[in-house]
Amino acid sequence: MGTPIIEFKNFSYYYPNTEEPAIKQIHATIEEGDFVGLIGPNKAGKSTACLSMIGIAPHILGGDWMGDVVVNHETIQSSNVSDFTKIVGVVFQDAESQFTQETVEDEIAFAMCNMGFERSEMIKRVNEVAISCNLTEFLERSPFQLSGGQQQRLAVACLLALRPKVIILDESTSQLDPKGRDEVFKLVKELHRQGRTIIMVDHNIEKMAEYTTKLMVFFEGELKLYGPTSEILQQKELLNDYHIRLPQVTDAAYGLKETYQFTKLPINLEEASRTFKEYRGQENGSNYSNQESCP
Ligand SMILES: Nc1ncnc2c1ncn2[C@@H]1O[C@H](COP(=O)(O)OP(=O)(O)OP(=O)(O)O)[C@@H](O)[C@H]1O
């Protein structure tokens, strides 16, 4: 068991003037170093869960709640959004609307400036995160002249400068072309490799299968399944009940399950290639031994 960083404790949240909770009795722990994917159909509660992890729900949005969310040992009761944002940063779908500065460099420095950082420390961190987010050549450019993928990387860079332990990306690749989407996934993979906790909402099940270590499955405001990605994606019928499809490669293997007697379905191309190679090895081996036993 790793170190808990975000804990939902039977947490339910009601938006103002609503009678039904948007998320119901969520009970789950995210540990430091996890890369957790939140999946589920529209209106399942994924974004609300993200907003709860940084205290925006309820502290900014209002509304009612039951239970608790504990972020780095601070409870909702005992903290406010600025306490949570020291630990958790979030990037939303429309990164561009968050930008206010004339250059990428100033945009990265903006939050640090507001928080009263020393100039030398700001310069150090701007350069540091520009390198890790592959933005050094754009420092003098306007944030509004970047591509969608570059803007998402800039939004991540702005967060990283504050050194949060957890980064949440809520559908931040949904408006990007495949190249931009790959840029963002590549970046978060690297941040995860460096030890950051990543929480990501994304409808691209192939990418979620490839990159995440754990999946949370939301449906109608409830957390229906939570566990290692490879285990969650074995459960086709259950996932289909929650309106989630398997990655294509997993679905194809599922179709061949009876023929090949797979013990575990592959969830990405690398695993599929290994699984089929192993099977072909077994098949060739058994043919060979059959031939040997022929008279
Ligand atoms: N500001 C709001 N006021 C009232 N109800 C809201 C508000 N935002 C979301 N909801 C409701 O809360 C529920 C959960 O919505 P949420 O946006 O968390 O789902 P989601 O899984 O993120 O959906 P999507 O994939 O469409 O973004 C839905 O029933 C939604 O209508």
Side-chain angles (χ1 to χ4, degrees):
M1 180 91 180
T3 310
I5 185 79
I6 297 177
E7 297 166 87
F8 285 96
K9 299 197 166 178
N10 285 318
F11 183 73
S12 302
Y13 172 72
Y14 298 73
Y15 283 98
N17 310 316
T18 57
E19 286 177 10
E20 280 292 307
I23 48 175
K24 302 171 201 166
Q25 300 218 317
I26 308 292
H27 196 79
T29 300
I30 294 173
E31 292 168 3
E32 278 190 44
D34 281 344
F35 187 159
V36 181
L38 273 59
I39 58 173
N42 290 339
K43 301 197 169 188
K46 306 177 298 293
S47 293
T48 308
C50 292
L51 294 171
S52 312
M53 294 183 221
I54 46 170
I56 290 180
H59 287 308
I60 290 182
L61 296 174
D64 289 328
W65 81 92
M66 287 187 299
D68 218 334
V69 182
V70 182
V71 175
N72 203 33
H73 315 297
E74 300 285 341
T75 67
I76 281 194
Q77 299 276 4
S78 64
S79 59
N80 55 40
V81 174
S82 66
D83 293 328
F84 278 21
T85 50
K86 283 182 199 135
I87 308 297
V88 188
V90 62
V91 180
F92 295 105
Q93 190 172 347
D94 182 11
E96 193 177 4
S97 66
Q98 300 169 42
F99 301 143
T100 54
Q101 301 300 297
E102 284 183 10
T103 65
V104 166
E105 186 174 24
D106 288 350
E107 193 63 57
I108 298 174
F110 185 61
M112 290 187 282
C113 201
N114 285 339
M115 292 165 92
F117 278 58
E118 295 267 330
R119 189 174 160 72
S120 58
E121 182 63 18
M122 281 198 283
I123 294 170
K124 186 174 141 231
R125 292 197 189 192
V126 167
N127 289 326
E128 199 176 272
V129 301
I131 291 170
S132 54
C133 297
N134 205 7
L135 289 167
T136 38
E137 63 185 295
F138 306 117
L139 283 174
E140 299 304 316
R141 197 179 283 187
S142 159
F144 303 98
Q145 289 170 348
L146 300 177
S147 72
Q150 290 161 352
Q151 286 185 335
Q152 285 292 336
R153 287 193 275 127
L154 172 56
V156 174
C158 295
L159 290 183
L160 275 184
L162 302 176
R163 299 190 178 156
K165 286 187 171 184
V166 183
I167 294 182
I168 301 177
L169 298 104
D170 187 0
E171 295 204 38
S172 56
T173 73
S174 64
Q175 293 178 358
L176 304 182
D177 60 18
K179 183 170 173 284
R181 192 171 56 216
D182 287 348
E183 284 173 20
V184 175
F185 272 99
K186 208 170 134 197
L187 172 60
V188 287
K189 183 182 179 179
E190 179 56 22
L191 296 175
H192 177 240
R193 197 191 61 75
Q194 290 168 6
R196 285 225 161 57
T197 308
I198 308 285
I199 297 166
M200 195 160 183
V201 179
D202 205 288
H203 287 285
N204 187 317
I205 194 73
E206 270 74 25
K207 292 281 183 204
M208 294 306 245
E210 189 179 343
Y211 289 93
T212 63
T213 58
K214 291 181 184 167
L215 286 178
M216 286 184 164
V217 177
F218 282 83
F219 188 71
E220 295 182 345
E222 291 178 29
L223 178 57
K224 294 289 191 182
L225 300 170
Y226 180 33
T229 302
S230 57
E231 284 176 24
I232 297 292
L233 293 177
Q234 303 298 308
Q235 306 176 57
K236 176 176 164 115
E237 285 86 5
L238 211 45
L239 289 173
N240 286 171
D241 286 348
Y242 302 140
H243 304 184
I244 295 165
R245 70 163 177 84
L246 291 181
Q248 285 181 342
V249 73
T250 314
D251 211 19
Y254 183 88
L256 298 167
K257 204 170 154 186
E258 298 300 313
T259 317
Y260 292 110
Q261 304 287 310
F262 293 133
T263 47
K264 187 168 162 269
L265 299 173
I267 62 166
N268 54 41
L269 282 174
E270 200 186 319
E271 280 190 25
S273 154
R274 214 180 314 127
T275 305
F276 284 104
K277 263 190 206 142
E278 275 167 20
Y279 181 79
R280 281 189 61 192
Q282 280 172 20
E283 207 177 38
N284 290 342
S286 65
N287 285 346
Y288 180 66
S289 58
N290 283 345
Q291 280 164 14
E292 269 194 328
S293 63
C294 285

